[in-house]
Amino acid sequence: MRRAALHSLGCKVNSYETEAMQQMLEEAGYEIVPFHQKADVYVINTCSVTNVADRKSRQMIHRARKLNPEAIVVAAGCYVQTSPEQAAEDSAIDIVIGNNCKKDLIALLEEYESTSAILDINQPGQPYEELHVSHPAEHTRAFLKVQDGCNQFCSYCIIPYARGRVRSRKMEDVVRETKELAENGFQEIVLTGIHLSSYGIDLGYTLLDLIRSVHAVEGIRRIRLGSLEPGIITEEFVSELAKMEKVCPHFHLSLQSGSDTVLRRMNRKYTTEEYFHKCEILRQYYEHPALTTDIIVGFPGETEEEFAGTCAFAKRVSFYEIHVFQYSRRKGTAADRMEGQIPSAVKAERSHRLMAIAAEQKKSFAAWYEGKPVEVLFEEAVIKDGDTFYEGFTPEYVKIRYRTEESLENKIMKVEFFQIIV
């Protein structure tokens, strides 16, 4: 039996697509082995969101070649989509598969037997790429890709060039896969996409329509939403969400900066006051919602005053989690051509300052649950000092450790006297 190993970099969409490619390989008769082992085929699903992601993608490609010089090395995804010439010239790569072409993995492997090299890159205007996952790698939570592409063109972002324009998955296909996941024992699903808020604009319906359809699937007890744009948060949208008890009160609203002047340079479509109002709407309908976000530090021209404004705004919102990123220049974007590029040392120092604020906010948010019973979806057992504990997450995605001798894997139950893991 031929052996295959896969490695995914970057976002949850990439993770979903990697699981889909793994399922294709399994159905084609391949044995799946860990990436560090010798295999006949290595598949690296690459990322290009930052320069660091590009470098890590190249490192994993070359690691695969060293693990087995005779193997077929497949480089897929955003890095090779945005740098096809560089990928084609890399002797470590045998097959290049761009975005929207991953469904053809098995056919391309078969074609490689009679071809010295293959370059299959997505072209503009292609429809949504149908991929399918029935048994995800995680045991309790399943990520479900429902949308691809982005029309926003934020000035710092390469993703619209890597992923193309908005394309949505048919609602009936999403519901069909959700039912299959429920039948396979999954109780929680995460709806994810490159620009999830745009779901359905090309098909004539909305993200809210999709959530209602998924909510009706028996066996699914929790629905999480991937990253949302602030613009989708309206009184109507949130009031309808709040009526669906399966929707977790855990909302990732992309911020990127707490300075209005920086937001304008980023080509973001809102002000800080508008963003804050969206947070207030969520807190109006949910008692203690987990609000998480992304913030970029060191964007071109960012002054100390603008950065201080971001820190002050983060404190004002009081997030549960802040994912802090140092700005990374991406060739071909508007921000790459901007004056006032910030030195790496300054970006690093600002990152540390914002991360310290984020750490304090996370502790404060989690402390709210002390002494309160919480509902937890348990995932795995851990042994600490000879005692057995189970760890899992609340609907707000607060991690809980609970002491018990009972097997609780993939069970949802209310507990007291637990430890909060921050």
Side-chain angles (χ1 to χ4, degrees), residues 378-390:
F378 288 101
E379 298 191 349
E380 60 181 355
V382 295
I383 307 297
K384 297 287 184 182
D385 300 322
D387 292 327
T388 300
F389 296 82
Y390 264 86

Side-chain angles (χ1 to χ4, degrees), residues 79-326:
Y79 164 62
V80 297
Q81 178 70 44
T82 56
S83 305
E85 297 85 3
Q86 189 173 352
E89 293 171 359
D90 192 333
S91 61
I93 303 174
D94 297 307
I95 301 176
V96 174
I97 304 180
N99 290 320
N100 232 54
C101 306
K102 296 168 189 175
K103 65 184 182 302
D104 302 321
L105 172 63
I106 302 305
L108 293 172
L109 284 170
E110 293 172 351
E111 182 183 342
Y112 180 78
E113 301 296 331
S114 58
T115 308
S116 58
I118 294 177
L119 179 68
D120 190 12
I121 294 294
N122 175 35
Q123 300 301 317
Q126 291 194 7
Y128 180 85
E129 178 182 27
E130 289 297 338
L131 297 172
H132 179 81
V133 176
S134 61
H135 46 275
E138 289 198 38
H139 298 298
T140 59
R141 181 181 300 106
F143 289 86
L144 185 51
K145 178 187 171 186
V146 302
Q147 180 274 338
D148 208 337
C150 181
N151 298 346
Q152 297 298 103
F153 288 94
C154 299
S155 64
Y156 53 82
C157 189
I158 196 69
I159 297 306
Y161 305 96
R163 288 279 180 173
R165 304 300 176 268
V166 167
R167 305 177 305 284
S168 304
R169 189 175 183 182
K170 294 177 182 177
M171 194 183 305
E172 56 266 31
D173 292 338
V174 176
V175 172
R176 186 182 305 114
E177 186 166 327
T178 303
K179 289 179 178 178
E180 188 172 349
L181 290 167
E183 290 167 0
N184 288 336
F186 289 89
Q187 300 186 76
E188 180 176 312
I189 63 166
V190 184
L191 300 179
T192 187
I194 295 300
H195 194 258
L196 184 63
S197 300
S198 295
Y199 176 83
I201 63 171
D202 53 329
L203 299 179
Y205 37 74
T206 67
L207 178 60
L208 194 59
D209 295 330
L210 179 69
I211 297 169
R212 288 194 186 101
S213 296
V214 170
H215 191 272
V217 176
E218 292 185 13
I220 296 298
R221 294 179 61 185
R222 286 185 176 181
I223 300 169
R224 292 192 190 276
L225 305 178
S227 180
L228 299 173
E229 284 295 311
I232 200 172
I233 303 299
T234 64
E235 188 101 18
E236 179 186 6
F237 181 80
V238 179
S239 65
E240 290 301 308
L241 280 188
K243 295 174 185 177
M244 293 181 272
E245 69 280 358
K246 296 180 184 180
V247 176
C248 294
H250 172 209
F251 302 99
H252 188 89
L253 294 186
S254 184
L255 174 61
Q256 306 305 356
S257 176
S259 163
D260 286 336
T261 50
V262 174
L263 288 174
R264 284 196 294 271
R265 296 201 299 274
M266 288 179 164
N267 195 33
R268 301 294 286 173
K269 308 296 194 300
Y270 49 83
T271 66
T272 52
E273 283 305 313
E274 288 168 344
Y275 185 100
F276 188 80
H277 177 62
K278 307 298 185 178
C279 297
E280 291 295 284
I281 292 174
L282 288 166
R283 286 175 169 142
Q284 176 185 343
Y285 283 90
Y286 293 96
E287 181 183 14
H288 194 239
L291 304 184
T292 66
T293 199
D294 302 316
I295 295 179
I296 297 172
V297 299
F299 188 76
E302 183 184 63
T303 64
E304 181 60 34
E305 182 181 10
E306 287 172 330
F307 175 69
T310 289
C311 292
F313 186 71
K315 292 177 181 178
R316 181 185 176 198
V317 174
S318 191
F319 292 103
Y320 169 40
E321 285 186 328
I322 302 174
H323 302 150
V324 181
F325 299 90
Q326 296 179 38

